[in-house]
Each structure stands twice: as C-alpha cells, then as structure tokens.
Amino acid sequence: MKSNRVVRAPGGLSVRLDVRAVTVTLLLLAVALTASVVLIGTGDFPIPAADVIRTLVGEGDAGQEFIVNELRLPRVLVGLLVGASLGLGGALFQTISRNPLGSPDILGLGQGATAGALIVIVLFSGSANQVALGALAGGLVTGFAIYALAWKRGVHGYRLVLVGIGISAIVTAVNGYLLTRSDIVDAARAVVWMTGSLDGRDWDQVWPLLALCAVLVPLVLTHSRGLRMMEMGDDVSYALGVRVERVRLLLMLSAVLLTASATAAAGPVGFVALTAPQLARRLTRSPGPNLVASMLMGAALLVSADWISQRAFGAEQLPVGVVTGVLGGVYLLWLLVTERKAGRI
C-alpha cells in the first residue's frame, strides 16, 4: 500500500495525504478517548464504560451524573488538555531548535513556571489561582529571557538549547533557595505542586486551559507550512517566502504559553513534552513537525499515566508526574541503547 495518496477535490484542488500518518493520528485519538472513558469509570465507585458513555450524553442517573460530571470529568479533561499542550509545545520547540533535546523540560520553561509558583507560595502564601497565575508568569518571563539571550541576528537551534540549559540551571538553583526560605507547611505544599499532579482538579482549571488551546492550536496549525519549511534552514525558508523570524517568534510564544499554562494547571509534569513528539514521529514515520500526532500522543500519554498512577500501586496513589518521570526515563534509556547499537552515538 502506498504511504502517500493524492486526493483531488472539486475545482482542481488536490491534497497529498500521508495514509500512515492519518491512520496513526486516528489511532492515537481513539487511544486517548478510550483511556479517558476508562479513567472516568475508575475509582472507589467504579462505573462500567457503557454507563460512563451514557452519562456523558445525559442519560445516566443522578448519582452517576454527579460522580462523572462533577468529580471525574474535570480531572480527565485537564489531563487531556495538559498532555495535548505539552505534546504540541514540545513539538514546536524541537522543530524550531532542530534538536530532539529542545523541549521545555530541557530549556527550563518548566523550571521557570515552578519558580513563579514558588514565589507565590513561599513569599505570599497565595491561593491556588494565584499560584497558577504565578506559574504562568514565571514561564513567560523565562521564555522571554531565553529568546532574548539566544538572539544574535536571529535565533538558531544550538544556541537556543545551550541558553535554555543555562537558564534551567540558574532557575533550578533559585527554586532550591526558595524552598530553604519557606516554612514546613509551605515547603510541603510546594513539593507536592512541584511533583505534578491532577488531584483535585475541577472546572476552574478546565475553562482557562480550554480557552487558551482553542486560540493557540488553530493559530499554530495555520503556520505549520512555514514551520515545515524552516526545518530546511532559514535561507531556504526565506527563498520560499516564509517570514522566518516572525513565524519563529509567533510559534515560540505559542509554545511558551502552552507549556506555561499546562504547568500552571497541573504542575511541572515531566517528560511528556520531550517524549510525545519523538514517539509520534517514530509511529508516523513522516517528516515534518507532526503537530497533530504529537498533541494527541501527549494527551494519550498523560491520561494513561494518570490511570497507572491510580490503579497500578493498590491503595497508594502516585502523582502523575512521578509516573511520567519513570516512563520518560525508561524511554530515554531505551533510546540511548538503540542509538548506540546503531552506531550514531
């Protein structure tokens, strides 16, 4: 079977369709939705998947509607949106930097958002909403600092990664200092937040993240052609009519907002932004940024990790950030072994 097909539409328009990439994208969507239904039915009061679906379409009884719509659905939606945001943000950073390590985890955006949250927790004992705003502001300030320090007649991949690693080290030290300044109660609260968790998430976290994704995801997808051209280098992109610095700045700002808002909603959930784009590319075997596949892979990974955190360890429920950290570490070790066997490192 051919991997690419040309679909002709009325009016003489034609679209090249990558059959494998479309198939993988649809499968990832199915995995994310299936995992969401299973997760909604999981808990002290288990609900069969069929009853979950009936409740979601408004045909459940009063007890099921309360459990599903008020207690469990918001948490799952936050997980889907956070995973999708991290997957898309990671794909943007890795494509812009042309480096698989150019993800928010490595560049220090998660650490910057953590610094903003810690300042609110430690210095001001702020509420949950104030902590979220502090995390968003910290991520934006860190992203601006990385871009400004990496600028030299444009922003180039390796310089962006090196500056990000340096910023990450500095901000990590600042976060450690802030923890030493806090009392035992604030320190415990800060450590729980820094682990990354979906516990207690409700509709107050869903709506802001959903609104931001509704604006940024279409904006990013409309610039996917320019992003794909930029993978061939700035000179080629300029020759093809791409306004490189404008597109790069717009997409970097979008990636920073996606990452910072995800961190504000669930804490610094590790490795999703790093692994989701690479797993998506390995599955689709398609060149280019694979933005939609990366987004769906991130959503499927985080929801699946949340199910593992609730069910795999008996009565002990782990924060989802612990599970993604373990899975991400295993993936990196596997990647290191395969690359070494292939003679590339």
Side-chain angles (χ1 to χ4, degrees), residues 12 60 107 116 129 138:
L107 297 181
N129 289 334

Side-chain angles (χ1 to χ4, degrees), residues 58-73:
E59 297 181 0
D61 59 43
Q64 290 176 339
E65 287 186 359
F66 175 75
I67 293 172
V68 170
N69 296 328
E70 299 300 326
L71 299 181
R72 297 179 183 174
L73 180 60

Side-chain angles (χ1 to χ4, degrees), residues 20-63:
R20 182 185 177 90
V22 172
T23 303
V24 169
T25 299
L26 293 175
L27 287 175
L28 288 174
L29 177 61
V31 169
L33 294 178
T34 302
S36 299
V37 171
V38 172
L39 184 58
I40 290 174
T42 298
D44 293 334
F45 184 80
I47 302 175
D51 291 341
V52 170
I53 296 174
R54 280 197 294 268
T55 303
L56 290 174
V57 298
E59 297 181 0
D61 59 43

